[in-house]
Amino acid sequence: MVRRRCSSIVSYAIMGCPRQHPMSGCVICVSFQPHQSYLAMSELHRNDQELRRFEELHLLRELGVNPYPSTFGKTHTNAEILSAFSDDDPSPLADVFVAGRIMAIRKMGKASFVHIQDVSGRLQLYLKKDDLGEVYDHLKLYDIGDIIGVRGFVFRTRMGEVSVHAASLHMLCKSVTVIPAGKEEIDEDGNVKRYDAFADKEQRYRKRYLDLIANPHIKETFVKRARIISTMRRFFDTRGWLEVETPILQPLYGGATARPFMTHHNALDIPLYLRIADELYLKRLIVGGFEGVYEISKNFRNEGMDKTHNPEFTALEIYVAYKDYVWMMDMVEELLHTVVNDVHGTDSTTFGETEISFARPFARKKMFDLFAEHTGHDLRGKQRDELVAIAKAIHVDVDPSWSAMKLLDEIFSVKVQPHLIQPTFVIDYPVEMSPLAKAHSTEQGLVERFELFIMGKEVANAFSELNDPIDQRHRLEEQAAIRAAGDDEAMVVDEDFLHAIEVGLPPTAGLGVGIDRLVMLLTNNDSIRDVLFFPQMRPERNASDKHPEVEA
RNA sequence: GAUCCCGUAGCUCAGCUGGUAGAGCAUUUGACUUUUAAUCAAAGGGUCUUGGGUUCGAGUCCCAACGGGAUCACCA
């Protein structure tokens, strides 16, 4: 096998190396022969373009070039070069070191233009044989995808592009595979047009590193994501609230209605669950005496996946003592206002065609007022049968077996939610929908809870936390009964949590924010997969795999 | 889980009512010392996702599997 593969390289080398000048110093002719078996067996499946790159790698080493050096004294990012250059006085950039991945090579005989891409963008290099000598000939061993560094001076070409004129050229990392680098054209308006874009969504999600190289503009989404989160941290920290970490592996799960992932601890020989929410642990910390705690962390829910659901997702939860949900609404307004300003520099963001204003105050509407407004019916205190009849009358498909809570939820989703485009707090929910929220101080059957909707999507959920231990036990036992009746998403009774509530939770306002959805909203992405570097994907498998299925 | 659409060169795609597989870019060779999707000339590159079936003959038609996308359902 090795022989067969070597012979293909030999024939390739001969083909690629015209015999006309065997003594001319052509690196391929002179250096190739003695080393025909440097490729490992595991590399046998390589295609011709990859084989050529392995060959080039080998030849670079033969020439005494280390294709994987340890450091390079990079002095400027590409963007810094472009912004710092002045035609009037180029002298400050007379000796710079730049580095990046080769995205385009245009050879003009004894001069070449190369575009390199670094974290900040693209920069053109001008390489001339007169300046580089024999190193210029090595350029034939360089490819799109290699990472190179250059020392040189900055100038503007005749075509007007600020470029680095190379005095020396260094291979920093030889790439041995092909990257999908489509060509780019920049029109007069500065718009980048891409040709042969790397557009296969599946491959983009599976091989995000290639996506980031081929579609560098997506970096903006992830930079904004990082800024959104860091702005939130700063906002909370300056107010004296403590960032904490609570268990991901939990013997009991709770704080939300959702199916968990299950795992097993060998030494303890017990089942453990991956958390579905932080709530119950954070409240224990308020019981313990902290007066403001927050956590930004991954939650895990073993449910379906779609545009807005990934099995692991990032949530913010914050609890502040001696506050209620009205105070929390003000805080959320201020928080989002701050975040949007930090990220966009203005009060608003554009999602699709819609401009969304985060100017304060946001609309605040009672849930049952919204029902009246959008259905024409007053649903307060209605029994299940009445709700079924109303649903029928307003053409909402419902299952008559659903609970009153589920019916309200469905009517809300269909009739109300799509209208909540600008930031809107929906307040005062029925108690059945909120087993951890405090009973409303004035309205019978309601709890002090709000959800914030933007673009018809829930962005935040908060309430005055239930701290009446008898009420809390009663509601969790109701959940347990629902669970026993077959709803495996209902909450389980957590005795230690109930004990903490019996010890005494001060009046507390709590808030949860789905970070991924907030990032989607603020970066104009309609799929959660576009705001996660590595969204969960079905394992890649093809029918020709011969691996037998592993039985558990 | 249901329905619809998709899977062809490294990338983006074309391929008609079945008849020996196409383009652009990328790659290789040659020319070119300020180019801009550089250009010009030549060349290599494919088990058409996989497995069955119909047919003299399948990239194309049928069935199934695998993978993906969209919509819905489930679900915050």
Side-chain angles (χ1 to χ4, degrees):
Chain A
M1 270 186 96
V2 171
R3 175 169 296 149
R4 189 170 63 78
R5 123 155 272 319
C6 285
S7 72
S8 82
I9 292 178
V10 170
S11 64
Y12 171 80
I14 291 170
M15 173 204 74
C17 253
R19 294 281 174 82
Q20 296 93 288
H21 7 45
M23 310 295 279
S24 69
C26 163
V27 285
I28 292 177
C29 267
V30 172
S31 311
F32 182 72
Q33 279 193 341
H35 297 272
Q36 300 179 353
S37 55
Y38 54 88
L39 280 173
M41 291 285 282
S42 59
E43 303 294 352
L44 296 184
H45 62 284
R46 298 291 180 169
N47 67 36
D48 63 329
Q49 293 191 35
E50 291 170 328
L51 292 178
R52 182 182 51 75
R53 284 163 182 251
F54 275 101
E55 195 176 301
E56 289 168 346
L57 172 63
H58 171 71
L59 294 173
L60 282 169
R61 287 199 160 113
E62 286 290 293
L63 288 161
V65 174
N66 175 6
Y68 302 105
S70 298
T71 67
F72 183 74
K74 180 169 174 165
T75 57
H76 295 73
T77 67
N78 293 342
E80 284 167 353
I81 295 285
L82 296 178
S83 65
F85 180 75
S86 157
D87 289 298
D88 298 333
D89 180 16
S91 60
L93 298 176
D95 186 21
V96 300
F97 291 73
V98 295
R101 190 180 296 275
I102 298 176
M103 300 305 286
I105 302 178
R106 288 185 293 279
K107 288 195 181 183
M108 309 281 304
K110 294 188 179 61
S112 294
F113 294 88
V114 174
H115 269 109
I116 58 171
Q117 176 170 295
D118 77 353
V119 67
S120 67
R122 289 193 180 195
L123 178 68
Q124 179 168 264
L125 309 178
Y126 177 56
L127 310 174
K128 204 159 71 152
K129 186 170 170 78
D130 291 349
D131 299 312
L132 296 171
E134 65 179 18
V135 172
Y136 186 83
D137 297 324
H138 298 177
L139 204 55
K140 70 174 63 168
L141 301 177
Y142 287 45
D143 286 289
I144 288 172
D146 295 351
I147 296 170
I148 61 169
V150 148
R151 178 181 191 175
F153 65 88
V154 184
F155 74 114
R156 188 183 293 278
T157 66
R158 211 177 282 165
M159 300 302 288
E161 181 163 347
V162 174
S163 309
V164 174
H165 187 135
S168 65
L169 170 67
H170 309 271
M171 175 62 76
L172 302 181
C173 176
K174 178 68 187 166
S175 170
V176 294
T177 189
V178 184
I179 64 168
K183 289 194 172 185
E184 279 190 0
E185 183 180 28
I186 301 173
D187 64 20
E188 302 86 36
D189 302 329
N191 299 316
V192 178
K193 254 169 86 181
R194 287 191 178 72
Y195 298 83
D196 302 331
F198 180 50
D200 182 327
K201 283 202 164 192
E202 179 193 354
Q203 287 307 315
R204 289 182 52 203
Y205 296 143
R206 287 189 191 282
K207 299 194 190 307
R208 186 65 92 181
Y209 44 94
L210 289 180
D211 191 25
L212 288 162
I213 293 167
N215 301 307
H217 59 282
I218 69 162
K219 277 192 275 195
E220 291 167 24
T221 291
F222 294 98
V223 170
K224 280 181 182 169
R225 181 183 178 111
R227 286 193 60 174
I228 289 165
I229 293 172
S230 66
T231 298
M232 287 185 160
R233 282 212 165 88
R234 207 174 320 119
F235 185 96
F236 299 143
D237 291 344
T238 57
R239 282 160 178 75
W241 302 325
L242 188 70
E243 178 165 18
V244 299
E245 294 174 274
T246 62
I248 291 173
L249 290 173
Q250 306 181 349
L252 289 174
Y253 60 96
T257 53
R259 268 186 286 266
F261 284 93
M262 214 181 300
T263 185
H264 183 262
H265 191 283
N266 288 340
L268 295 176
D269 192 23
I270 55 167
L272 287 174
Y273 302 94
L274 274 60
R275 72 165 156 225
I276 58 172
D278 303 350
E279 176 153 357
L280 303 187
Y281 281 95
L282 292 175
K283 282 182 182 170
R284 284 172 169 95
L285 296 179
I286 299 291
V287 169
F290 290 108
E291 298 191 358
V293 292
Y294 74 94
E295 182 163 15
I296 296 171
S297 65
K298 285 283 180 70
N299 289 346
F300 307 85
R301 296 188 184 175
N302 204 344
E303 293 168 347
M305 294 161 53
D306 60 28
K307 266 176 140 169
T308 56
H309 295 82
N310 194 63
E312 58 181 292
F313 62 99
T314 303
L316 157 75
E317 288 195 34
I318 179 165
Y319 294 82
V320 181
Y322 308 112
K323 308 294 186 189
D324 70 356
Y325 78 132
V326 174
W327 173 88
M328 185 64 88
M329 266 187 274
D330 294 336
M331 194 277 267
V332 168
E333 274 183 7
E334 195 180 344
L335 172 68
L336 291 183
H337 188 259
T338 303
V339 166
V340 172
N341 270 282
D342 263 24
V343 173
H344 293 300
T346 70
D347 276 357
S348 63
T349 187
T350 302
F351 192 90
E353 307 283 304
T354 309
E355 169 134 349
I356 299 166
S357 168
F358 287 83
R360 302 179 67 186
F362 303 169
R364 300 183 184 195
K365 297 194 171 171
K366 293 185 178 180
M367 183 180 227
F368 282 98
D369 290 347
L370 284 167
F371 275 129
E373 181 180 337
H374 293 285
T375 70
H377 289 80
D378 184 359
L379 304 188
R380 272 189 185 79
K382 289 282 186 291
Q383 298 303 304
R384 209 186 69 180
D385 296 346
E386 297 173 282
L387 291 173
V388 171
I390 291 170
K392 211 163 281 178
I394 58 178
H395 306 107
V396 175
D397 283 336
V398 297
D399 186 324
S401 73
W402 285 351
S403 64
M405 169 188 118
K406 173 75 183 153
L407 290 165
L408 286 174
D409 199 22
E410 181 66 16
I411 295 170
F412 188 83
S413 303
V414 174
K415 286 291 175 185
V416 180
Q417 211 170 310
H419 299 288
L420 307 177
I421 302 302
Q422 296 298 322
T424 305
F425 290 112
V426 177
I427 63 178
D428 298 347
Y429 281 62
V431 61
E432 296 84 359
M433 297 170 85
S434 320
L436 297 167
K438 179 178 278 195
H440 199 280
S441 54
T442 55
E443 305 242 21
Q444 184 73 25
L446 301 184
V447 292
E448 295 189 354
R449 174 184 180 186
F450 72 79
E451 292 188 301
L452 175 64
F453 288 86
I454 305 174
M455 282 301 293
K457 298 271 163 36
E458 180 205 341
V459 170
N461 180 20
F463 25 91
S464 302
E465 299 297 336
L466 177 57
N467 65 347
D468 175 338
I470 295 166
D471 194 358
Q472 180 67 85
R473 175 174 291 278
H474 176 67
R475 294 216 223 149
L476 281 186
E477 281 171 355
E478 269 180 355
Q479 287 283 310
I482 295 170
R483 189 180 178 76
D487 184 349
D488 57 358
E489 287 169 14
M491 294 188 193
V492 295
V493 176
D494 183 336
E495 284 295 340
D496 183 74
F497 170 71
L498 286 173
H499 186 247
I501 298 300
E502 288 174 5
V503 168
L505 176 74
T508 297
L511 167 76
V513 176
I515 296 293
D516 307 289
R517 292 185 187 172
L518 180 64
V519 173
M520 287 164 62
L521 185 71
L522 297 184
T523 58
N524 195 15
N525 282 301
D526 71 351
S527 171
I528 195 170
R529 292 181 162 187
D530 291 319
V531 301
L532 300 172
F533 275 127
F534 303 104
Q536 192 59 241
M537 302 287 282
R538 202 180 291 273
E540 206 164 13
R541 217 187 307 165
N542 52 55
S544 61
D545 275 351
K546 293 192 177 97
H547 302 295
E549 278 188 27
V550 180
E551 297 293 334

